[in-house]
Amino acid sequence: MNNEIKRILEEVQQGQLSVEEALLKIKMEPFADIGYAKVDLHRKLRQGTAEVIYGAGKTPEQMIGIVSAMKQGGQNTILITRISPEAAREVEAVHPLRYNAAARVAVIGQPPKPDGIGHIVVATGGTSDIPVAEEAAETAEIFGNEVVRLYDVGVAGLHRLLSHMDTIMEASVIIAIAGMEGALASVIGGLADCPVIAVPTSVGYGTAFHGLSALLSMLNSCASGVSVVNIDNGFGAGFLASRINHMDVKK
Amino acid sequence: MNNEIKRILEEVQQGQLSVEEALLKIKMEPFADIGYAKVDLHRKLRQGTAEVIYGAGKTPEQMIGIVSAMKQGGQNTILITRISPEAAREVEAVHPLRYNAAARVAVIGQPPKPDGIGHIVVATGGTSDIPVAEEAAETAEIFGNEVVRLYDVGVAGLHRLLSHMDTIMEASVIIAIAGMEGALASVIGGLADCPVIAVPTSVGYGTAFHGLSALLSMLNSCASGVSVVNIDNGFGAGFLASRINHMDVKK
Amino acid sequence: MNNEIKRILEEVQQGQLSVEEALLKIKMEPFADIGYAKVDLHRKLRQGTAEVIYGAGKTPEQMIGIVSAMKQGGQNTILITRISPEAAREVEAVHPLRYNAAARVAVIGQPPKPDGIGHIVVATGGTSDIPVAEEAAETAEIFGNEVVRLYDVGVAGLHRLLSHMDTIMEASVIIAIAGMEGALASVIGGLADCPVIAVPTSVGYGTAFHGLSALLSMLNSCASGVSVVNIDNGFGAGFLASRINHMDVKK
Amino acid sequence: MNNEIKRILEEVQQGQLSVEEALLKIKMEPFADIGYAKVDLHRKLRQGTAEVIYGAGKTPEQMIGIVSAMKQGGQNTILITRISPEAAREVEAVHPLRYNAAARVAVIGQPPKPDGIGHIVVATGGTSDIPVAEEAAETAEIFGNEVVRLYDVGVAGLHRLLSHMDTIMEASVIIAIAGMEGALASVIGGLADCPVIAVPTSVGYGTAFHGLSALLSMLNSCASGVSVVNIDNGFGAGFLASRINHMDVKK
Amino acid sequence: MNNEIKRILEEVQQGQLSVEEALLKIKMEPFADIGYAKVDLHRKLRQGTAEVIYGAGKTPEQMIGIVSAMKQGGQNTILITRISPEAAREVEAVHPLRYNAAARVAVIGQPPKPDGIGHIVVATGGTSDIPVAEEAAETAEIFGNEVVRLYDVGVAGLHRLLSHMDTIMEASVIIAIAGMEGALASVIGGLADCPVIAVPTSVGYGTAFHGLSALLSMLNSCASGVSVVNIDNGFGAGFLASRINHMDVKK
Amino acid sequence: MNNEIKRILEEVQQGQLSVEEALLKIKMEPFADIGYAKVDLHRKLRQGTAEVIYGAGKTPEQMIGIVSAMKQGGQNTILITRISPEAAREVEAVHPLRYNAAARVAVIGQPPKPDGIGHIVVATGGTSDIPVAEEAAETAEIFGNEVVRLYDVGVAGLHRLLSHMDTIMEASVIIAIAGMEGALASVIGGLADCPVIAVPTSVGYGTAFHGLSALLSMLNSCASGVSVVNIDNGFGAGFLASRINHMDVKK
Amino acid sequence: MNNEIKRILEEVQQGQLSVEEALLKIKMEPFADIGYAKVDLHRKLRQGTAEVIYGAGKTPEQMIGIVSAMKQGGQNTILITRISPEAAREVEAVHPLRYNAAARVAVIGQPPKPDGIGHIVVATGGTSDIPVAEEAAETAEIFGNEVVRLYDVGVAGLHRLLSHMDTIMEASVIIAIAGMEGALASVIGGLADCPVIAVPTSVGYGTAFHGLSALLSMLNSCASGVSVVNIDNGFGAGFLASRINHMDVKK
Amino acid sequence: MNNEIKRILEEVQQGQLSVEEALLKIKMEPFADIGYAKVDLHRKLRQGTAEVIYGAGKTPEQMIGIVSAMKQGGQNTILITRISPEAAREVEAVHPLRYNAAARVAVIGQPPKPDGIGHIVVATGGTSDIPVAEEAAETAEIFGNEVVRLYDVGVAGLHRLLSHMDTIMEASVIIAIAGMEGALASVIGGLADCPVIAVPTSVGYGTAFHGLSALLSMLNSCASGVSVVNIDNGFGAGFLASRINHMDVKK
């Protein structure tokens, strides 16, 4: 931010810019500069990073338009989340894509080569949690992460989880996804020594209360190193996991 | 019930009892007969079974009086739950007792020799759950059960639980007691092949919501064979475990 | 567990097994051994025990495949819960079955001869609770229990319940199923001297809150010996009741 | 209302009252007339009816002042609810009263002779519900009702309740007071053929949620003729019961 | 109860009945006698009282069958609640009826001549509450009450309510029905001097929470003499209002 | 009120009005006078003010009838809220209107020229909040306010909001509309120095709990000058904003 | 904002300020300029406006220090909210103040002469709501508003409220404060034609749920022109009411 | 795990270990090896890492004992959380420590030199959130992180937060701590491009519901890269932040 304002000030000092013009420039830019543009600059440093479109509530036409604009802006890797099969087919007619029916996400272009610190494990308690898991996994992949899927390793059959101890111990980040009692996050949190992102799902009935039971369970995890995102928020978990798995770029 | 009414009817038939006297007897007895007295009769068959006094909200004087009455009725083994140390001391001055400070229960007389099918395991997730666990254990013991205590085997340190697999596999009934995320019940339910009684505790803070989180978690257990009692209800769990552990007397 | 590892160790000692083979064997087995396999061994001791498929969210094709695999594995008695009439018809075309429309369960093969300690009573407060009750009853039957059905004996017409006192007093386990105010569990819990498993149902409207009212009522039962499972969880109640009714095998 | 305004109008027409005086009278009275005064007039028809002071949050001085004012207004029978023993002693120094320590109510003067249709039964599930019950009973008595107390007749010991069937069947109104699972209201509602006022109490722990469980249970009562008041609202139940028990004055 | 058992005893005494027959008779009757039969006897005293069928969840065939049985039992006035227009048409083909589409109730036969103490006022806050109000009104009418409907007199336009002060002051019982903030019950409770039955409705959106807001508001009414039934429970309110309006038969 | 009654009294005094006529007049008018008529008189002072019809639950026929009646009463500017496109088309066939599909409101006639103190800003956190925002904006416009729309300025992209600081600082009233975490209200409340009306929306999933999360967030706003209306209540916010923006007429 | 930055730019243009100094100045000021300083400038236009200190959680020493700093900054009218009597006494020893014990607020200096559009009415449902009302009233007064207090005009005694119709109709803004069922806001909202700010209070017991019942009631008000602030937030209501009552300065 | 078992197997093969001894070794070690021991080994690689004692519910004696044991085990840097000033004084008499009164944590020994990827920012919305923030900061520091504290930068005064944009943009991990509406997490999440850990606090009153409002707000954050821990869980946030800030060791 400093540099741009400094340049404006220098132009004023040198008489290249009138006070009024400078005032207008400063008024228009600083805040864009703080947030959005900052992200843009940052993005340019890491070429190939994907853009994400939240498909829920958008028409196929709107999505086609946004994708076109992104492509014109030089962005070729695009993830559309929460998009129905029908909408995906319509978008596909214009922009070739790969549709992940379980996750209900569409992937345009090629995910970048994984360049994270390590691999991200996406684990689910049951098979009904897979849609959320796939959303997380696709998100992590499109942001340049290697993903290992460990599905249906819920605590009611602990041996399934324990037989994958190596995978768990070697993970860079683990996304623990479970509905019902959500105990998976605590058990994994107790076993692993990496950050664990817990995702409660709306799987279950009765007192599952559409994910509330799993959410509370995960927030109360007696294991350290566990944090939680919104119910069914696979995208959020995948995005955060990718950030953590690319922490080294902060160095 | 049939036998007693039958006897009354026979006495009427034989003129040993007037219609009015019979009417009074039947009016007074049937309901007592259905519930309370039935238990009494049943109790007589298994000598030595304990009586229980719910101490909360009772004065030491009231408790002394009830104990005296019970002793006069031939009952020498008595459990008082939720009794403060001060109250216990006052009762003790009249009726010798053993006070379990953690459980806040007082035991008068000797628990009967264990005569259940097997042993009852009382497991807790943490050390803060021990008061509830001790209430459950003392209750189970006074009703004639051998109790094995497995404290502080929560899922955040799974190895502690797994190192006691033999104890778990050999249990007749397991009482799984945990606050916070309450995952212990699911993990034990997945490992064991006996009935598991889950007791949520009010241990924790924030979203533990005084036991609600653990309760919901336990009700949603993906493991079969798990049922749940009220938050902090150690007595209820101990009592039910004893009933299950004496199922053979039903045969 | 000890025996199997001991055997492996002896084979290593006797040179029958290389260190690498032994390592692989131990790595693959211990956890399977702890949970799943243990159940299998246990099952072999009691021939004829059923397998259960949770039908919700599975396609007819998936269910047909699972049943085929189970049959190849020698399992001929199979219960499918939460299966729609349409799906049941499709499965039936391949695997003959009996469909219980009220319970929405399909039964393949013959339930084993009842071999429990006594009979299990399945009681409901109203006729709307029957679907949950039938799921519980079918589950109990397929695991080898004699079931006595007491439907529509809610507390608003207490005489209906009381006229079945004999059935209640003779029960080995009682499953008390009710929606709305869920008082049935407390009343039965006060009358019976056997374990009572309470199942809240989502029957009712307004403040029934889809079973929450009944659930809270049952958890607060002032009667001893009552425990609770998830709302509408007929299967869980039937499974647990069967375990309790077969406690004698633990002896 | 019509009559009073009509009289004012006639006085204006006849010149007995100036427009300004009439305006003032109408302005002052109509609303008082609608609510408060109406009650007053009604009260005059039934001599001796009590006044009630809600003691919570009032100082002894304030209560003494209010009582003095009421006495000057000719009111000698006064009920003070939710008054502490200490405050009661201070009031007593000025105005002789009878203090019901369980109910925490003070009674000044003599309750009127019962003149209701029949008697009001006040029933409780347990002994801990007695404070609420006594508040209800004292309220009913001071408004001229005969009260029959049936305490500790909870559904876990159904015989106690059933042994009082005559009392229940002969009641004019029944106040059913219970905490925990609140099943008493449903059971009484199913037995009785008179209006039943259910009062949930904050008795219990854990999932009793300070009366919420009992409240929901009572609102969902499958018995007809049951309505509910606020948790621990003994006064409200007693007042309403009295109104119902004096319905004949409406005739 | 006494009389019937006394007669049985006398027959035994006189040898007219064997002990076994007497035992069977007593076993079969007492409880029926306590609840159901009692109601029946009571009903006989007031000829013409209606029967009610809760239509929800019943097929037209089932309802036709129940009505037929009732008619054979001499009951000609029957109310069916929560019955869809389609089901009503099917029942109508067999049993002539009048269908109240707003209330979704069907009335078979003629309601009895009103014989209550006074009239029952059914008031609603808005027009959306009318379905619940009509269910209450039809129920009250079929049990022999004169009903005065005061619809759309919510507190946001207080003048509408106040312009009906006479109706309110003369009511025997008032049923106050409102959704959203449910303030109608408090305002009517403050104006009237008769029992007020408050019915929260699920009308509203957002924080109306399907009737919860109105329910809480009504339970907290600062006006005395108000009690509450379940959300949308028009039938319950109408039934209870009728009981109160016939209190004089208790005399 | 005084004046009208005074006039009636004077007419009685002068014999121009009989007592009965005066009685009727007073009985009919006072309350109408307090609420409804008062509004009417007030309305006459500000010609052209709109009428509003709450369309939800009304048939097109009913709406056509109400509009006709309003027009006959001289009202030509009418807003119908929560009206479906289909219903709008039917009404349009009789009464020409403009339909705002996003807001689901129909506008009949021309909104009055804005005459408020300043302009009203309607801001939303996201694009999904626009339907609620449009309902608020249309409402404000039809009551004579200039509206500035600031859509999609949620706090996750703060620069978008900050780049409109002038608009915010110059606003007379701001309506802040947001779902999910509802932080927009706090941020705007912290920046602006005018009244802020916060409208939580039901946008979001999982723990958004249909607007509850946004509602709680807004009620807890640490910024002063913020108040809240019901979830999705765009109309209420627009109406209140208009009242505040016309405060000068109170002077 | 524009003016200050413009001045900086002009100084740069004129060589009075180096680029670095200008950069530093802009960097330090803009955001302060947006929010805090803006308020300050605005404040300078209306001399005498008060500062407010939120006393909860602050020590007397801290409060004395803050007041001293404010006085040095030329601010002599200061309101301290949520300050205990003890703390107030300590502050008073240094800074003379007036303590409102009901409101628990301390007022330092003289409130400015009222200069609002009209007067603000602060109404409460009961006497227990007065502490919140006094906090609102003192806040409104210190910001230059005339306040009319209408206490204890709850809807259970509607005549008390209606007898103050003039006050209500003439109000500029009304703050409606009530606990329990919170109906006061709806009734006032239906009567008044000015903005109504509803404040739920934590007064009540049982289902009052510490203000939740009143809050929901107020959010669902069927009257237009009502908005709501946090439970017990008298300050927030007073502050907002003052803003609305000074809307004319926006003109 | 493999290596240790392999070694045991080789010793058996070479006759250095009997089968029985090997069996015992394998039985004792595997699970310790999976969880606890693994952590130990990992710890040895990074010398100086701290141990943490959860002080709540532990007596000073217990804490002294645990610290002594830890010191004997070679651990000199120890953090005790949730310890009262009194307890800290008692521990200090034996083990010298530094007590952070705001955080209620005691630090024994010297925190290691920061060796994380970057610095961790701990930001709070208000001054009341500082205790939770200090717990987080002390935890992060003792695990070897540089911590930058940004206190009282809540969204109601956005300029305070924005004036620290550099600190935010340069952070490695940000812990955003706020009560009330919890908007801080969303605003920071929208500005920063690093992982954000949100900690709701129980600060606030009324609808803050002891942190629930902030919790929901944070879970619904529309900003990506935000995850949440339990209410007031400063330790958990600090621990997780440290793990993320040391992600490079995973490489």
Side-chain angles (χ1 to χ4, degrees), chain E residues 34-76:
Chain E
I34 288 161
Y36 193 72
K38 202 91 184 185
V39 172
D40 275 1
L41 289 171
H42 185 68
R43 273 185 185 135
K44 281 173 203 149
L45 300 174
R46 296 197 278 126
Q47 278 301 340
T49 293
E51 282 285 356
V52 179
I53 300 168
Y54 182 66
K58 294 204 175 69
T59 63
E61 292 69 35
Q62 289 176 317
M63 289 188 274
I64 289 168
I66 298 172
V67 170
S68 297
M70 284 179 172
K71 284 187 169 173
Q72 284 176 342
Q75 183 65 47
N76 289 310

Side-chain angles (χ1 to χ4, degrees), chain F residues 113-119 143-146 172 242 245-246 248, chain G residues 251:
Chain F
K113 240 181 117 95
D115 60 352
I117 293 170
H119 65 263
F143 282 109
N145 299 276
E146 190 192 335
S172 182
S242 176
N245 197 32
H246 287 90
D248 51 344
Chain G
K251 215 161 180 174

Side-chain angles (χ1 to χ4, degrees), chain G residues 79-154:
Chain G
L79 179 75
I80 311 178
T81 62
R82 310 218 166 184
I83 175 173
S84 68
E86 297 74 31
R89 263 194 298 276
E90 288 194 46
V91 175
E92 195 174 15
V94 183
H95 302 291
L97 56 78
R98 175 173 59 80
Y99 188 64
N100 182 326
R104 296 175 71 89
V105 305
V107 180
I108 293 170
Q110 289 303 314
K113 240 182 117 95
D115 59 353
I117 294 170
H119 65 264
I120 294 171
V121 170
V122 177
T124 75
T127 53
S128 310
D129 303 315
I130 290 177
V132 177
E134 280 298 311
E135 187 184 280
E138 292 276 5
T139 302
E141 284 169 352
I142 212 158
F143 282 108
N145 300 277
E146 190 190 335
V147 172
V148 177
R149 287 159 169 85
L150 276 190
Y151 291 168
D152 198 19
V153 293

Side-chain angles (χ1 to χ4, degrees), chain C residues 155-156 181 183, chain D residues 182-191 217-218 220-223 226:
Chain C
V155 298
E181 88 273 60
Chain D
L184 186 68
S186 287
V187 171
I188 286 183
L191 294 174
S217 183
M218 287 166 167
N220 282 288
S221 176
C222 48
V226 178

Side-chain angles (χ1 to χ4, degrees), chain A residues 1 26-37, chain F residues 158-160 162-165, chain G residues 1 30-31 34, chain H residues 162:
Chain A
M1 184 170 95
I26 289 173
K27 195 175 153 196
M28 297 312 293
E29 284 188 15
F31 306 111
D33 184 44
I34 287 160
Y36 193 72
Chain F
L158 205 56
H159 61 286
R160 290 175 301 185
L162 294 180
S163 65
H164 294 284
M165 273 307 295
Chain G
M1 184 169 98
F31 307 113
I34 288 162
Chain H
L162 295 180

Side-chain angles (χ1 to χ4, degrees), chain F residues 222, chain H residues 123-131 133 150-155 160 177-180 184 201 203:
Chain F
C222 48
Chain H
T124 75
T127 53
S128 310
D129 304 314
I130 290 177
L150 275 190
Y151 291 169
D152 198 19
V153 293
V155 298
R160 291 175 299 185
I177 301 171
M180 299 169 77
L184 185 67
T201 70
V203 167

